[in-house]
Amino acid sequence: MRQSEFRALKLKALWQGLIGRDGGAANRIVPPTGFTAHLTLFSAGAMAFLAVFALALALATERLADRWASELSQSVTVRVSGQQQEQEALTQSVLDILQTTPGAGQPRLLDQDEVGALLTPWFGPDMPIDALPVPDLIELPITGTDFDAEGLRLRLEGEAPGAVLDDHTEWRRPLVSAANRLQVLGIISLVLITAASAAMITLAAKAALAANGQVIQVLRLIGARDITIAIAFVRRFTHRAAIGAAVGTVLGMAAIALLPDMQAAGGFLTGLGFSGWSWLLPFLVPLVAAVVGFFATRWAALKMLESVR
Amino acid sequence: MIEMQDVSFGYRAGSELLSGMTMSLQPGMFHFLTGPSGSGKTTLLRLCYADLLPSSGKLSVFGQDVAGLSRDGIAMLRRRVGVVHQDTQFLDHLPVAENVALPLSVSGQPADIEAMRDLLGWVQLSQHARALPPSLSGGERQRAALARAVILSPDVVLADEPTGNLDWDMSMRLMQLLVELNKTGKAVLVATHDLNLIRAVKAQVSARVLRIAGGGLQLAGAEL
Ligand SMILES: Nc1ncnc2c1ncn2[C@@H]1O[C@H](COP(=O)(O)OP(=O)(O)OP(=O)(O)O)[C@@H](O)[C@H]1O
Ligand SMILES: [Mg+2]
């Protein structure tokens, strides 16, 4: 029989058959398959449960990366302290070094008032700063990704002893990239879970169709159109995948909702879970499962019908 | 309604089982198709409901060339040709009544409970309406198959050895049903190698007898 006819098994007609109320006849055509049915339900549910966690991981790591990245300071501070008479020359040579540092902007020497403001928390407002051997503070904005804190530190050590680079938040940088990496892994997991579910539903549908070869043959012989037969099977498997996935999704969401309050737990795991509108995202899981079930079964049904006239 | 012109068919390319068959099924006529076992009776019937396609020649059913039918076209053709298969298959998980009504549900027509009851009564299966097909006897299966074949009120009924495993009384009862069908104006084609059966029916209605011999089709003479 011509291939093109199978391709033309109208998606629209299948969809209408899928959501139509008149499922009675279509539902009864396919023999009940207790064991396979339960396996399909269970697998769809388990996959959905995992998908919810992968989704939560992807969202949480995204938030984590955002927060850490925003906390990365946009500048570093260089502290210069030397003997009274050397200090000025030392500061000038540090400024020269900073000016030629790749990835950094224009260094700025903080004036007395600014330094005073920084020291106030430690010494109180009445301390006469002029009387103290206060170090010079130079603020260096970071403008490029090629800024190398470690290289600068070594250079200062060698060329301007007495100058100390203070990059308080630089240590977070690898954490941000780790968080980004984790997010990618979460997304890859979602894709793999979807693909594995598709494979599983296709296998289940193929097995069911193969086991029902006689049913399909009988139906064709008494004048059933391909679309009628396809709807019967697609309906069965799409519903099954959607119901299983819905249960798995609800269980997964409940498990996440019941995690101990992160504010209290604090630390690295901060915010594994959904917040606000992202609680809606997991509801896509059963929807995707239904869509996957629909196309997987349709493909299996078409394959099967090709062998029957 | 079913016209064959020089139709040939072979299961394997190069060796033809049937060749040069020319025949036409007359509306309202009772036909027998006979020939020894393995001569190709089932094969010829399968050609008639587009389960097989001729390797050459022209076969048209209700004026349509079967070679040009789409898959949906084949489905539509089968709704107008009632077939009782030699080894009738049912959906074993559905009760007899639902199996008989299956052609209605797959063609999207509502089941008429009254008509259904009449039909089951006609084939004397009323008590078995709720039984599952595997629990039926051979004769009951054949009668259920006949009921399923006629529920869409087809123009032609093809029956392949409908009395194959039945004793004489049951065979005659089944043939009686086919004769009644024929009297309502439907063309009937019964494949059988049981000459006694043909004689018994010919006593009641005028029937044409086609014989497959040597791969070809002949109109059998008056010797029957
Ligand atoms: N699917 C098939 N593939 C190959 N050969 C087949 C197939 N079906 C039938 N044959 C062969 O074709 C020949 C005719 O078979 P067919 O079933 O048409 O005979 P028949 O006249 O109906 O016989 P019977 O009276 O025993 O039912 C047989 O030799 C058979 O082996
Ligand atoms: Mg036969």
Side-chain angles (χ1 to χ4, degrees), chain A residues 37-123:
Chain A
H38 292 140
L39 274 185
T40 314
L41 271 172
F42 167 76
S43 314
M47 288 297 190
F49 192 79
L50 294 177
V52 169
F53 279 102
L55 193 62
L57 177 70
L59 287 175
T61 46
E62 184 186 17
R63 278 200 298 271
L64 208 56
D66 281 354
R67 215 184 58 216
W68 284 346
S70 71
E71 281 175 9
L72 274 180
S73 62
Q74 299 308 301
S75 63
V76 295
T77 309
V78 179
R79 197 157 19 96
V80 189
S81 46
Q83 300 300 314
Q84 207 83 54
Q85 55 274 45
E86 290 170 13
Q87 171 128 4
E88 203 164 316
L90 188 57
T91 300
Q92 192 51 52
S93 69
V94 169
L95 280 170
D96 291 342
I97 292 172
L98 296 183
Q99 222 130 31
T100 59
T101 302
Q106 190 62 34
R108 190 174 69 84
L109 182 61
L110 300 191
D111 63 29
Q112 288 287 318
D113 290 347
E114 286 172 292
V115 175
L118 287 173
L119 293 180
T120 305
W122 279 273
F123 299 109

Side-chain angles (χ1 to χ4, degrees), chain B residues 31-218:
Chain B
H31 302 74
F32 280 104
L33 177 64
T34 181
S37 179
S39 59
K41 298 183 294 296
T42 300
T43 306
L44 190 145
L45 293 188
R46 289 177 70 190
L47 285 165
C48 292
Y49 56 89
D51 200 21
L52 300 170
L53 287 181
S55 40
S56 71
K58 186 164 179 250
L59 168 56
S60 65
V61 181
F62 307 121
Q64 286 176 298
D65 191 342
V66 291
L69 286 177
S70 66
R71 286 183 66 88
D72 278 354
I74 290 174
M76 296 308 155
L77 178 148
R78 287 176 184 167
R79 292 178 193 179
R80 297 180 65 187
V81 181
V83 184
V84 179
H85 300 274
Q86 190 164 9
D87 53 340
T88 300
Q89 306 282 345
F90 297 97
L91 300 194
D92 289 344
H93 64 287
L94 295 182
V96 169
E98 271 189 72
N99 264 286
V100 169
L102 210 51
L104 284 175
S105 48
V106 302
S107 61
Q109 298 174 40
D112 179 344
I113 306 288
E114 272 307 305
M116 189 65 208
R117 200 168 291 155
D118 287 350
L119 183 58
L120 284 178
W122 178 63
V123 293
Q124 298 174 359
L125 283 178
S126 300
Q127 300 96 317
H128 299 281
R130 286 168 202 280
L132 292 180
S135 71
L136 296 184
S137 75
E140 288 160 354
R141 283 179 77 85
Q142 291 302 69
R143 281 179 282 145
L146 180 62
R148 189 180 71 183
V150 301
I151 194 161
L152 286 181
S153 170
D155 304 306
V156 191
V157 176
L158 308 178
D160 193 1
E161 309 271 9
T163 61
N165 308 313
L166 309 184
D167 61 30
W168 178 255
D169 282 350
M170 183 53 81
S171 298
M172 281 317 294
R173 253 161 73 187
L174 199 88
M175 292 314 291
Q176 211 52 52
L177 294 174
L178 287 166
V179 169
E180 284 173 29
L181 264 183
N182 175 241
K183 284 185 172 154
T184 67
K186 298 189 191 312
V188 175
L189 174 60
V190 179
T192 180
H193 49 239
D194 188 339
L195 300 185
N196 288 328
L197 203 68
I198 298 177
R199 281 188 204 105
V201 170
K202 279 190 88 166
Q204 301 177 42
V205 291
S206 67
R208 294 208 310 158
V209 180
L210 306 163
R211 186 206 298 279
I212 300 179
L217 200 59
Q218 312 157 350

